[in-house]
Amino acid sequence: MSGGEAETVRFEVEDGIGVITIDNPPVNALGPGVREGIVAAVDKGNADPNVTAMVLIGAGRSFIAGADIRQFGKPRSTPARYSHDVLDGSAKPIVAAIHGFALGGGLEHALSSHYRIAVKEAKVGLPEVLIGILPGGGGTQRLPRLIGPKAAMDMIVTGRHVPAPEAKALGIIDEIVEGKDLKREAIAYAKRIAHARPLPRVRDRADRIAEAKADPGMFEAMRKSIARRARNQKAPYHCIACVEAAVTRPFDEGLETEKRLFAELENSDEAKALRYAFFAEREVSKIPGAPKDLQPSRARTAAVIGAGTMGGGIAMSFADSAIPVKVLDATREALDRGLARVRENYAVSVKRGSLSQAEMDRRLALIEAVDRYEDIADCDVVIEAVFERIDVKKEVFTRLDAVMKPGALLLTNSSAIDTDVMANATKRPREVAGAHFFAPANVMKLLEVVKGTKTSIETVAAAMKVGRDIGKVSAVAGTCDGFAANRSRAPFVTEMMLMLEEGALPERIDGVMVDFGYPMGPFAVNDLSGLDISYDTRKRRAAADPNYRKLHVPDRLVEMGRKGQKTGAGWYRYDKGDRTPHPDEVVKSVIAEVAREFGIPQRTFTDEEILQRLLLASVNEACRILEEGKVLRASDIDVMWLHGFGFPRYRGGLMFWADTVGSRAILARIEEWHARYGARWKPAELLREIAQAGGAFREAKPKRAL
Ligand code: 3HC
């Protein structure tokens, strides 16, 4: 094959079988030349009298991970012949041989082949919806014909990766290959089916579609079932519409519908935001300046100090990822209580049906309670999660330094204390870093890895690897008050409390943020985590900083015993055993009382003002964080907001969203509020610079190295 095709698609004849190999590292995305290469290879196979059948296979770690996401939104030419049509129109049978991932366009190429075989570990899926588009290579028309519209719709609307054995049960895969050599097995399979006619083409199947006519309500039911999750988004609904077309229209008309709806989505705001989030999540794990050969190994054993809520959640994260973990606490009582809480959490999942009893038992068996430091000395990583008192934390690190084996990774989950304090309590500060989890630690995906002044790059990389191994998205932050994630969110919290005093009620503010796309409003979330959590921090700050602006409303609620759901009342009132928040007159009167006392004039707010008051305060602080070099890149802040605070993914993240408002408009707004509300709204220097240059927040570079 000539030109670029030669590099990405190979064609060789082995034993009478034409083997088409996609070789486009790292994941065989359908980048420039790949589709054309497939077309040319199929033509070759059909023209060669020695070839009786063909195999489509991927080199390296995967079959095909889908279209090249970097090419979306850019102009491209219409091919003379579509590779899908060429595959399923081939006169000789084609076997797709799948290992690694067959995703999006990858699975669509497999669906256009006549047979599909896979190794057991392979995964298949149509995850396009997760980047705001839909399968545009016939996937919405072929998959329902192969496995029925209901199962197809489930896969297409969730975008989930389906393991090969399940794919076999569904009918996507014809055979699971047991041997180690997929190519050899595929050639043997191809020889077996080489002369079978007619060729089985998915597009010709009608049996599963006919079956769907019995349940015409299924599409409406699906739309209803996703209404909450998919609000403000188009892609999930367009996916459903395409599957509906597969059931109600002939194949070629269905393809037209798919093409038309795909074109509508490709450049939509949600697709742009989701593509950005995809790449931001891959950037976040890169550490500039790290040696190329730095590849930390997987932690085999872990320890957690402190069996409280956080410690228990962290231990669960390890057990959930099959890593044995020891939990150490000062007293047997604390340990028992902690482990009982862990057991309870797992039991809730079993009751809900999201975890089997056997799996619960397996995970619990991985968590061992210990009460001596010597018992954890051999662990590869230890995470301290004791309460936030400097003397206690220092003591823990002195003891860890004394017992832990050389090279062990020493991490602290502190959210309020400088990582350096703990590092300096040891003789190995290079091996100490922060590992800041977000509550509940076993659920929230974000792990903020905090680089102390002396933390080595190897330690940062190892801590990030631990995060990856336990299924977290790790982002690096520099040490400072609140680090990067909470620090960037703190002004949001301040503004939400201060807007109350000006006349916006919790239910109003929550409503605006839910409409924006958050799963819950910030006051409802605060009721869940507890109003008392930040109460002490506020008192401490007020004592330390004479200019600290007191937040009277939450303080008074806590002093009245309203600490959130756990006390039956907080920002809202709760009926016993029910988590539905009910607006409460008591809260209204506390707000009115504070407003009266401090002479704060009452006014009305637009939804836009509420949204901007909260988010722009944080954008301004994020600019300061970049100025001080406390993150590696602006997009890391977005990843933190997506995975730590439930920011709606289809809005990209805080900085991406800010760019949709525009830096100049934001500066103007912030200057206006600076004049009205004073120092806390002073525009950050970097924000001014970005606005003056007409630049983008998401591309802003930190002003200092971390
Ligand atoms: N396009 C472009 N680049 C891709 C890509 C794609 N489809 N999939 C992965 N990559 C890149 C990543 O950006 C990363 O690049 P980097 O090393 O420069 O950061 C590299 O490949 C490795 O990716 P990961 O770090 O994500 O590797 P993992 O092994 O952790 O995960 C994966 C592999 C599960 C395949 C994951 O990369 C993934 O989910 N990829 C996207 C899959 C997808 O969405 N496919 C559908 C595309 S849309 C489509 O096909 C439309 C069609 O219907 C017309």
Side-chain angles (χ1 to χ4, degrees):
M1 232 146 281
S2 62
E5 295 159 17
E7 295 163 45
T8 53
V9 184
R10 289 194 298 274
F11 181 79
E12 287 134 349
V13 181
E14 286 185 40
D15 217 3
I17 301 298
V19 179
I20 305 166
T21 307
I22 316 297
D23 191 0
N24 187 27
V27 291
N28 294 333
L30 297 162
V34 177
R35 287 187 179 86
E36 294 83 344
I38 295 173
V39 168
V42 174
D43 283 350
K44 253 191 175 171
N46 278 314
D48 188 338
N50 296 321
V51 169
T52 55
M54 286 172 259
V55 163
L56 181 65
I57 193 166
R61 64 193 228 215
S62 228
F63 179 68
I64 301 171
D68 184 344
I69 300 174
R70 288 182 204 277
Q71 304 299 319
F72 287 126
K74 294 184 186 158
R76 49 174 187 271
S77 53
T78 311
R81 291 152 76 209
Y82 284 100
S83 46
H84 307 98
D85 296 339
V86 171
L87 285 168
D88 79 359
S90 165
K92 296 176 186 174
I94 300 176
V95 180
I98 302 170
H99 75 298
F101 292 97
L103 300 177
L107 180 58
E108 290 175 310
H109 277 79
L111 294 173
S112 307
S113 303
H114 305 103
Y115 300 91
R116 288 154 294 280
I117 63 171
V119 299
K120 272 227 281 301
E121 300 75 21
K123 294 206 169 106
V124 306
L126 293 174
E128 284 86 345
V129 72
L130 304 177
I131 50 169
I133 54 171
L134 52 80
T140 64
Q141 304 305 299
R142 285 191 178 86
L143 195 61
R145 284 177 164 77
L146 189 60
I147 66 171
K150 209 169 200 154
M153 205 155 49
D154 162 63
M155 275 180 66
I156 296 172
V157 172
T158 62
R160 75 190 174 95
H161 294 175
V162 178
E166 186 190 344
K168 165 97 173 33
L170 283 169
I172 300 172
I173 303 291
D174 298 303
E175 194 171 292
I176 301 276
V177 172
E178 294 296 341
K180 283 239 174 309
D181 188 344
L182 176 62
K183 187 162 101 177
R184 222 183 64 203
E185 302 285 341
I187 291 173
Y189 189 94
K191 283 163 86 173
R192 280 206 301 281
I193 53 80
H195 302 289
R197 295 292 184 279
L199 294 177
R201 300 196 310 170
V202 174
R203 58 179 290 157
D204 298 335
R205 299 246 329 233
D207 47 331
R208 304 305 300 266
I209 297 290
E211 183 183 287
K213 301 230 157 81
D215 185 6
M218 82 166 74
F219 298 104
E220 248 348 274
M222 187 69 176
R223 286 187 185 99
K224 273 213 182 99
S225 78
I226 63 165
R228 199 181 143 74
R229 198 165 23 100
R231 65 191 186 282
N232 303 332
Q233 295 169 74
K234 268 199 294 197
Y237 292 100
H238 278 18
C239 287
I240 298 173
C242 285
V243 178
E244 199 166 14
V247 170
T248 54
R249 310 256 173 79
F251 184 79
D252 287 324
E253 278 183 34
L255 276 189
E256 283 308 311
T257 302
E258 182 190 274
K259 204 185 270 172
R260 180 171 52 79
L261 295 181
F262 181 93
E264 255 185 47
L265 293 176
E266 183 176 347
N267 285 314
S268 65
D269 289 344
E270 86 195 57
K272 285 184 195 150
L274 290 166
R275 282 202 289 270
Y276 165 82
F278 176 84
F279 288 113
E281 280 167 354
R282 271 135 195 97
E283 276 306 292
V284 76
S285 60
K286 296 179 184 149
I287 311 167
K292 286 256 174 311
D293 56 354
L294 188 59
Q295 272 178 350
S297 47
R298 181 181 163 92
R300 281 165 301 116
T301 50
V304 176
I305 317 287
T309 313
M310 219 47 195
I314 297 171
M316 287 172 79
S317 302
F318 281 99
D320 293 350
S321 299
I323 299 175
V325 56
K326 295 181 177 175
V327 182
L328 184 147
D329 209 314
T331 66
R332 198 69 234 179
E333 217 191 345
L335 275 172
D336 290 346
R337 216 172 356 173
L339 290 196
R341 199 176 311 113
V342 167
R343 204 169 299 117
E344 250 166 56
N345 284 339
Y346 278 136
V348 170
S349 304
V350 171
K351 209 161 153 199
R352 275 206 210 119
S354 56
L355 188 74
S356 70
Q357 183 63 49
E359 186 56 26
M360 165 172 164
D361 295 342
R362 206 183 56 74
R363 293 183 192 186
L364 277 175
L366 288 169
I367 305 179
E368 185 190 345
V370 298
D371 44 21
R372 295 178 327 148
Y373 276 79
E374 290 71 26
D375 296 332
I376 63 164
D378 250 352
C379 290
D380 296 329
V381 51
V382 50
I383 300 179
E384 166 275 310
V386 302
F387 43 80
E388 299 275 354
R389 261 183 41 200
I390 290 188
D391 51 341
V392 183
K393 299 224 179 226
K394 272 172 132 173
E395 158 89 16
V396 168
F397 274 82
T398 310
R399 299 190 67 174
L400 288 175
D401 194 25
V403 302
M404 296 307 293
K405 69 178 178 189
L409 190 58
L410 310 187
L411 303 176
T412 167
N413 176 52
S414 178
S415 57
I417 300 171
D418 195 327
T419 313
D420 289 350
V421 172
M422 278 69 91
N424 290 334
T426 73
K427 290 192 229 35
R428 38 177 143 174
R430 288 173 52 79
E431 285 154 44
V432 179
H436 182 209
F437 288 78
F438 290 73
N442 58 318
V443 177
M444 298 305 287
K445 283 258 177 207
L446 179 61
L447 175 66
E448 201 176 15
V449 170
V450 185
K451 183 181 182 301
T453 315
K454 296 179 190 159
T455 311
S456 71
I457 216 153
E458 288 78 9
T459 298
V460 171
M464 304 273 286
K465 170 81 169 112
V466 169
R468 215 163 31 246
D469 288 344
I470 57 173
K472 303 292 179 201
V473 177
S474 314
V476 185
T479 184
C480 59
D481 191 9
F483 314 129
N486 281 346
R487 176 175 163 188
S488 65
R489 190 163 182 278
F492 172 120
V493 177
T494 303
E495 294 308 319
M496 83 190 216
M497 304 299 183
L498 294 181
M499 264 193 293
L500 297 173
E501 298 175 0
E502 294 169 53
L505 289 171
E507 51 271 30
R508 174 76 199 292
I509 296 175
D510 275 0
V512 170
M513 299 319 275
V514 168
D515 285 348
F516 177 69
Y518 275 91
M520 280 169 92
F523 287 101
V525 170
N526 196 209
D527 268 354
L528 205 60
S529 55
L531 275 67
D532 49 328
I533 303 274
S534 48
Y535 181 82
D536 289 341
T537 316
R538 282 202 298 275
K539 290 278 162 225
R540 211 171 42 234
R541 292 224 167 109
D545 177 3
N547 294 323
Y548 180 78
R549 171 64 164 89
K550 278 203 179 130
L551 303 177
H552 302 286
V553 182
D555 284 353
R556 286 187 194 182
L557 292 180
V558 173
E559 283 150 17
M560 290 162 74
R562 299 181 66 113
K563 297 180 185 169
Q565 283 195 21
K566 59 187 170 192
T567 57
W571 294 107
Y572 298 95
R573 179 178 59 72
Y574 298 87
D575 294 334
K576 216 173 164 56
D578 185 1
R579 289 169 175 270
T580 317
H582 301 283
D584 194 341
E585 286 302 316
V586 179
V587 175
K588 234 173 153 175
S589 62
V590 171
I591 294 171
E593 176 189 285
V594 169
R596 238 189 345 265
E597 230 173 88
F598 294 91
I600 299 163
Q602 299 295 287
R603 61 193 189 85
T604 55
F605 287 81
T606 64
D607 288 357
E608 190 196 61
E609 187 181 2
I610 290 175
L611 178 74
Q612 294 205 347
R613 229 355 235 276
L614 300 185
L615 295 183
L616 295 190
S618 284
V619 170
N620 200 24
E621 189 62 28
C623 288
R624 288 204 184 91
I625 291 171
L626 279 162
E627 261 166 40
E628 293 171 28
K630 298 297 180 188
V631 283
L632 291 170
R633 50 186 85 76
S635 61
D636 287 5
I637 293 173
D638 286 339
V639 174
M640 292 174 184
W641 277 62
L642 294 179
H643 293 287
F645 306 133
F647 191 89
R649 191 175 171 83
Y650 58 87
R651 299 205 189 265
L654 181 70
M655 303 303 249
F656 186 92
W657 169 83
D659 285 332
T660 65
V661 181
S663 50
R664 292 203 173 118
I666 288 180
L667 177 63
R669 216 41 207 290
I670 290 183
E671 278 176 333
E672 181 194 325
W673 284 338
H674 185 206
R676 190 192 302 170
Y677 296 114
R680 72 177 198 273
W681 278 98
K682 184 168 188 276
E685 231 6 83
L686 182 69
L687 190 143
R688 272 189 200 289
E689 282 172 27
I690 295 169
Q692 269 150 19
F697 289 104
R698 64 179 181 271
E699 282 158 14
K701 302 270 177 288
K703 292 233 160 178
R704 278 191 227 154
L706 195 83

